[in-house]
Amino acid sequence: VVTRVAPGSPAYQAGIRRGMLIRQVNRQSVNDVQDFQAALQQPRQADQVLLLVQDQQASRYVVLPVG
């Protein structure tokens, strides 16, 4: 569950808000904070991360810069 999003940050600009669920990181399912952190540590091809986020209405993918 997203607990904080800094106003003006890339996550905020992508529409991520407090209370949303992060279901996947780079198409890898995450169930808790440890899964999320482990997924972010995996090697990636670009300086971006693909998140599947869910709010009360729908799920959608967002791409965020990393680094």
Side-chain angles (χ1 to χ4, degrees), residues 1-15:
V1 175
V2 176
T3 58
R4 183 176 38 149
V5 182
S9 68
Y12 186 88
Q13 292 173 356

Side-chain angles (χ1 to χ4, degrees), residues 18-36:
R18 184 174 172 231
M20 287 183 146
L21 299 176
I22 298 174
R23 296 292 188 187
Q24 293 180 0
V25 175
N26 292 330
R27 301 198 186 270
Q28 179 180 340
S29 294
V30 294
N31 297 309
D32 54 33
V33 173
Q34 291 80 14
D35 287 351
F36 177 77

Side-chain angles (χ1 to χ4, degrees), residues 39-66:
L40 287 179
Q41 299 302 318
Q42 296 297 315
R44 54 189 168 273
Q45 296 179 2
D47 292 332
Q48 299 177 334
V49 63
L50 176 67
L51 301 178
L52 176 61
V53 296
Q54 178 183 348
D55 62 17
Q56 294 178 349
Q57 300 166 353
S59 296
R60 64 187 171 95
Y61 284 99
V62 296
V63 177
L64 296 177
V66 175

